[in-house]
Amino acid sequence: MKTLIKVMLAMAVIFASTFILGRLLGVLSEDNVRAWIEYAGTMSALSVLALVVGLLAIDLFVAVPTLTIVILGSYFLGFEWGFAAAMGGSAIAAFGGYAICWRWGEGALAKVIRDAAQRDDMRQAFSAHGPGMIMLARAAPILPEVTACMAGMTRMPFWRFAAFWAVGTLPYMGIASYAGSISTLDDPRPAIFAALGLYAVMWAGWFVYRRYRMQSETTQNA
């Protein structure tokens, strides 16, 4: 488990560095993203859809304000197309990270963790804890990308990763898209309440999941 935490923290630092760099350079800030989507909204729905998908897709490499993008995109596109764009862009980022780390992650991991036994321990730990992490990854920025890369690196079967990803992502994007579609610039309360509610539910899920894992491990060790 220690090796798993070590690797995930290292990956989180890498992703966080892109976020910090982007903020320092003034690129992909929440204000910029908001301005881009609003400008695209003055042109065509297709422009908004392409921008939302593109922004969410590059979240794999540069951290972006996901919830803001989904809510604003759905405001201009409506629920159905906003939800489709949100799921499409998120899927590109998640499955792209999985594929990249499936192909090259093992070699990179071997250079960081030279002990084969520790790498095996990490795979076993992620096999046990990974499903919960993937489903609840939307509770915090960067975690969705980290868990997707970990799934590929540890060679979790794709269908298994996709199923857990869908369980966590479909309701999250669905609620955010619906809230955005019924919000207006004069009344943004649905979007605000949805954002607060989503994070509250996700963090509550983490709390329940952690308690469940601790109880299970205590029972097994007894």
Side-chain angles (χ1 to χ4, degrees), residues 43-201:
M43 294 189 291
S44 67
L46 183 60
S47 298
V48 177
L49 189 148
L51 182 59
V52 169
V53 171
L55 287 171
L56 293 176
I58 65 171
D59 194 30
L60 175 61
F61 305 103
V62 182
V64 299
T66 301
L67 196 56
T68 298
I69 293 170
V70 175
I71 289 175
L72 272 176
S74 298
Y75 166 73
F76 286 103
L77 294 171
F79 170 67
E80 291 83 0
W81 284 107
F83 177 65
M87 289 301 298
S90 298
I92 293 172
F95 300 153
Y98 175 91
I100 290 170
C101 288
W102 177 285
R103 177 62 180 84
W104 291 288
E106 179 65 25
L109 180 64
K111 294 179 181 179
V112 177
I113 308 296
R114 297 184 180 279
D115 190 333
Q118 290 184 353
R119 295 199 299 273
D120 289 339
D121 176 70
M122 185 203 72
R123 294 188 188 92
Q124 293 175 7
F126 190 77
S127 178
H129 298 276
M133 293 179 180
I134 295 168
M135 288 187 289
L136 297 171
R138 293 289 169 185
I142 300 174
L143 195 55
E145 293 73 44
V146 171
T147 53
C149 290
M150 287 300 305
M153 188 179 296
T154 58
R155 299 301 177 91
M156 175 184 283
F158 176 76
W159 65 266
R160 193 165 184 252
F161 166 66
F164 292 131
W165 175 84
V167 168
T169 304
L170 279 167
Y172 180 93
M173 294 302 182
I175 293 171
S177 299
Y178 180 71
S181 70
I182 63 174
S183 297
T184 65
L185 296 179
D186 295 327
D187 183 18
R189 287 178 297 176
I192 295 172
F193 292 152
L196 294 175
L198 282 169
Y199 283 121
V201 170

